[in-house]
């Protein structure tokens, strides 16, 4: 294949891989597929394009790294497509590139995942390469040292990133002594101490069949998928060796932590306890937060902090349900001398929500947006696969896609008033700031009370 043909073929393949049919979430037909050896997957058949997207995830990520070996899971994941079987790293990547197969691994605190995208005509070869990476990853010394060097460069960049430093300090204060507060990407010392044998052992310990979740979307039938699942995953260890459960709670109590940096603006991270995904109040909290802090330019925080006062370019917060703890986390970046004003407004808005909830109009607008935008999460094969894997790993049922908008629409003003009182405690926020902030607000009553005049607030 000469270079012009290679470029032409690459562009054509890329167009197909990036394409996807726009579908309604309600129209997605999800099949529960179980292979002969008992491996489960959620499948959406889509035969209009000759492509397949496979996503797989294993619960148990960097959180499970042994003490002193922080970064081990990240390093292992980074090496799984850096040579396998008869192919060294360069040959393996060349093979993927020649057939326009996209194969990548990643790790977070809670999980390890893999993404595979391929044309139907290259499915067999793509599956063979995926299987090689899972069963016969080489972990060659040269590849290990290259990934080790990349991780240490990332550490250096992290040290210079004020937002990352603010989050690190927040986690240390909110979850003292817990594994979530450890650096998932490791330290210079821990990264240097990781050996090839430890990397290989980590793969065998983490990637088991009992903690495996799979989603597949594309040009493949359920019967074909059953064979594929057994071919790729049946030889994994039956049980991952992940250790004990690690449930924890956020340390309650107001704290303000300042990491001084000689910057013209400060990065502020604020938050407190949130909710696990299985909590029955999660959906009401999700809707409430859209009004408060998650609705971009329509959220109360954005209107009060940016639109009315020009204190910051952006401000927002969200609920983050990790595997073992739920968090409520927000961020704002503002000039040092305006940190106190920004925090006063944020706290007052949280207090107003906890006291009065949302208006009928705000709730209706939130429902319209949250239900109307949901299909955008399903407008490509890759997005569908991502959604299915996230739902499956989150412990949700296969019919959640159909029921989700109904759950949103069922939320009442009383529900939001209840969860706001439960979750929003502005006087107990943990606040982490990187910069040289002025914490005293210039205006002692920064929030206008116009919201109180809006009819429809529920009685707390």
């Amino acid at each position: 294949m000469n270079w012009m043909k290679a470029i032409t073929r690459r562009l054509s393949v890329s167009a197909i891989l990036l394409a996807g049919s726009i579908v309604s979430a309600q129209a997605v037909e999800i099949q529960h597929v179980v292979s002969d050896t008992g491996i489960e997957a959620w499948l959406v058949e889509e035969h209009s394009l000759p492509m397949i997207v496979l996503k797989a995830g294993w619960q148990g990520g960097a959180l499970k790294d042994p003490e002193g070996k922080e970064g081990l899971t990240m390093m292992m994941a980074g090496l799984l497509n850096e040579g396998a079987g008869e192919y060294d790293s360069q040959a393996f990547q060349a093979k993927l590139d020649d057939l326009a197969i996209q194969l990548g691994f990643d790790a977070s605190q809670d999980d390890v995942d893999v993404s595979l995208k391929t044309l139907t005509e290259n499915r067999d070869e793509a599956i063979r390469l995926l299987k090689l990476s899972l069963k016969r990853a080489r972990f060659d010394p040269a590849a290990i040292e290259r990934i080790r060097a990349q991780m240490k460069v990332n550490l250096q960049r992290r040290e210079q990133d004020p937002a990352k430093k603010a989050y690190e300090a927040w986690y240390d204060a909110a979850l003292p002594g817990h594994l979530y507060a450890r650096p998932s990407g490791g330290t210079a010392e821990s990264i240097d101490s990781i050996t090839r044998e430890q990397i290989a052992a980590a793969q065998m310990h983490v990637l088991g069949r009992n903690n495996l979740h799979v989603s597949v979307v594309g040009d493949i039938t359920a019967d074909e998928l059953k064979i594929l699942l057994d071919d790729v995953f049946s030889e994994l260890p039956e049980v991952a060796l992940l250790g004990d459960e690690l449930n924890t709670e956020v340390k309650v109590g107001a704290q303000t932590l300042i990491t001084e940096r000689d910057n013209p603006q400060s990065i502020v991270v604020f938050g407190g306890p949130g909710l696990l995904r299985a909590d029955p109040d999660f959906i009401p909290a999700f809707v409430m937060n859209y009004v408060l802090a998650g609705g971009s330019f329509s959220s109360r925080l954005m209107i009060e902090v940016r639109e009315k006062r020009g204190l910051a370019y952006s401000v927002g917060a969200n609920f983050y349900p990790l595997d073992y703890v739920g968090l409520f986390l927000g961020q704002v970046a503002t000039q040092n001398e305006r940190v106190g004003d920004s925090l006063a407004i944020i706290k007052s808005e949280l207090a107003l929500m906890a006291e009065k909830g949302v208006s009928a109009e705000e709730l209706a607008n939130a429902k319209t947006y949250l239900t109307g935008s949901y299909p955008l999460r399903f407008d490509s094969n890759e997005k569908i696969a991502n959604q299915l894997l996230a739902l499956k790993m989150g412990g949700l049922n296969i019919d959640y896609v159909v029921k989700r908008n109904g759950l949103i629409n069922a939320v009442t003003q009383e529900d939001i008033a209840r969860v706001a009182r439960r979750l929003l405690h502005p006087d107990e926020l943990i606040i982490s700031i990187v910069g040289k902030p002025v914490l005293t607000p210039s205006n002692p009553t920064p929030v206008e009370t116009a919201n109180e005049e809006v009819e429809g607030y529920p009685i707390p």
Side-chain angles (χ1 to χ4, degrees):
M1 182 184 300
N2 62 39
W3 66 271
M4 181 59 73
K5 288 183 179 178
I7 292 175
T8 302
R9 183 177 187 276
R10 187 68 177 170
L11 290 173
S12 300
V13 169
S14 296
I16 294 175
L17 288 177
L18 290 172
S21 57
I22 297 178
V23 297
S24 164
Q26 303 291 325
V28 173
E29 182 180 347
I30 307 169
Q31 302 178 62
H32 180 204
V33 177
V34 183
S35 75
D36 291 343
T37 64
I39 299 171
E40 301 182 25
W42 288 359
L43 167 66
V44 172
E45 292 189 39
E46 174 52 69
H47 300 287
S48 63
L49 290 172
M51 65 173 291
I52 298 165
V53 179
L54 180 149
K55 305 277 182 174
W58 290 264
Q59 288 170 315
L63 206 64
K64 305 294 186 177
D65 287 345
E67 185 176 357
K69 299 295 178 181
E70 293 83 5
L72 174 60
T73 301
M74 295 282 191
M75 186 178 290
M76 179 268 292
L79 285 161
L80 287 176
N81 66 349
E82 290 286 338
E86 65 270 32
Y87 305 107
D88 63 13
S89 177
Q90 185 174 358
F92 193 86
Q93 291 298 321
K95 191 75 172 176
L96 294 173
D97 190 64
D98 185 54
L99 297 176
I101 298 168
Q102 298 179 20
L103 172 63
F105 291 83
D106 198 7
S108 68
Q109 290 175 312
D110 282 328
D111 55 67
V112 177
D113 61 75
V114 60
S115 174
L116 175 70
K117 291 189 287 185
T118 181
L119 296 175
T120 307
E121 65 183 83
N122 296 328
R123 183 183 74 187
D124 291 345
E125 187 63 8
I127 294 305
R128 185 179 76 88
L129 294 172
L130 172 59
K131 185 178 179 180
L132 279 178
S133 67
L134 291 173
K135 291 300 299 177
R136 296 176 58 196
R138 290 167 62 118
F139 304 126
D140 289 332
I144 290 174
E145 294 311 312
R146 184 172 63 256
I147 297 299
R148 195 193 309 275
Q150 290 174 5
M151 293 178 68
K152 293 175 76 171
V153 169
N154 289 337
L155 285 181
Q156 294 171 0
R157 291 175 179 168
R158 190 177 188 89
E159 285 297 314
Q160 302 303 315
D161 188 325
K164 288 183 170 60
K165 298 304 292 183
Y167 276 102
E168 286 177 2
W170 190 94
Y171 270 81
D172 285 339
L175 300 166
H178 194 270
L179 298 182
Y180 274 125
R182 297 191 306 174
S184 57
T187 65
E189 294 75 18
S190 68
I191 291 171
D192 278 339
S193 74
I194 294 171
T195 67
R196 182 191 184 281
E197 291 72 26
Q198 291 165 344
I199 296 168
Q203 181 188 12
M204 297 302 294
H205 290 165
V206 174
L207 307 187
R209 289 176 51 184
N210 66 315
N211 63 330
L212 169 67
H213 303 271
V214 183
S215 67
V216 180
V217 179
D219 188 20
I220 186 171
T221 66
D223 288 339
E224 290 171 330
L225 179 57
K226 289 179 183 180
I227 297 171
L228 184 154
L229 292 172
D230 281 341
D231 185 27
V232 174
F233 301 112
S234 64
E235 295 180 28
L236 293 177
E238 184 175 349
V239 177
L241 303 178
L242 299 178
D244 298 330
E245 294 293 305
L246 299 167
N247 291 331
T248 188
E249 294 181 354
V250 173
K251 183 179 180 181
V252 177
Q255 299 182 63
T256 299
L257 313 150
I258 299 175
T259 304
E260 286 204 2
R261 288 257 179 111
D262 193 16
N263 297 331
Q265 72 171 12
S266 291
I267 303 294
V268 182
V269 174
F270 59 91
L275 299 169
L276 294 175
R277 187 60 185 83
D279 193 297
D281 278 341
F282 187 84
I283 291 293
F286 174 68
V287 178
M288 178 268 291
N289 190 69
Y290 175 82
V291 177
L292 174 66
S296 187
F297 288 99
S298 66
S299 75
R300 291 185 184 180
L301 289 190
M302 186 70 87
I303 291 170
E304 295 295 335
V305 174
R306 170 176 165 153
E307 296 301 313
K308 289 185 177 181
R309 296 169 178 84
L311 294 176
Y313 180 76
S314 66
V315 58
N318 272 300
F319 288 96
Y320 296 94
L322 304 179
D323 279 1
Y324 301 106
V325 67
L327 304 176
F328 173 68
L329 270 173
Q331 178 179 325
V332 63
T334 187
Q335 294 176 359
N336 288 324
E337 60 270 21
R338 309 195 79 176
V339 170
D341 290 333
S342 299
L343 283 173
I345 294 166
I346 290 167
K347 289 180 179 181
S348 294
E349 285 299 329
L350 267 61
L352 183 63
M353 178 67 78
E355 179 186 356
K356 294 184 175 294
V358 298
S359 70
E361 182 180 3
E362 285 177 316
L363 180 57
N365 289 341
K367 289 179 178 180
T368 297
Y369 177 83
L370 293 173
T371 58
S373 63
Y374 192 50
L376 297 178
R377 302 187 188 183
F378 298 84
D379 63 3
S380 73
N381 287 352
E382 184 168 13
K383 285 186 180 181
I384 296 171
N386 284 334
Q387 283 293 306
L388 298 189
L389 183 61
L391 297 177
K392 199 170 188 302
M393 296 190 73
L396 298 171
N397 294 327
I398 198 169
D399 61 353
Y400 177 82
V401 171
V402 176
K403 293 183 176 180
R404 183 264 193 188
N405 279 357
L407 297 173
I408 298 288
N409 283 323
V411 173
T412 66
Q413 288 176 280
E414 290 74 22
D415 291 331
I416 289 180
R418 183 187 68 254
V419 300
R421 289 193 300 268
R422 174 187 172 187
L423 296 169
L424 301 180
H425 303 283
D427 292 335
E428 297 180 2
L429 288 178
I430 298 171
I431 300 169
S432 172
I433 307 171
V434 175
K436 285 192 172 181
V438 177
L439 295 180
T440 303
S442 60
N443 184 349
T445 56
V447 176
E448 298 174 5
T449 58
N451 285 337
E452 297 180 6
E453 300 173 4
V454 178
E455 296 182 359
Y457 281 109
I459 302 300

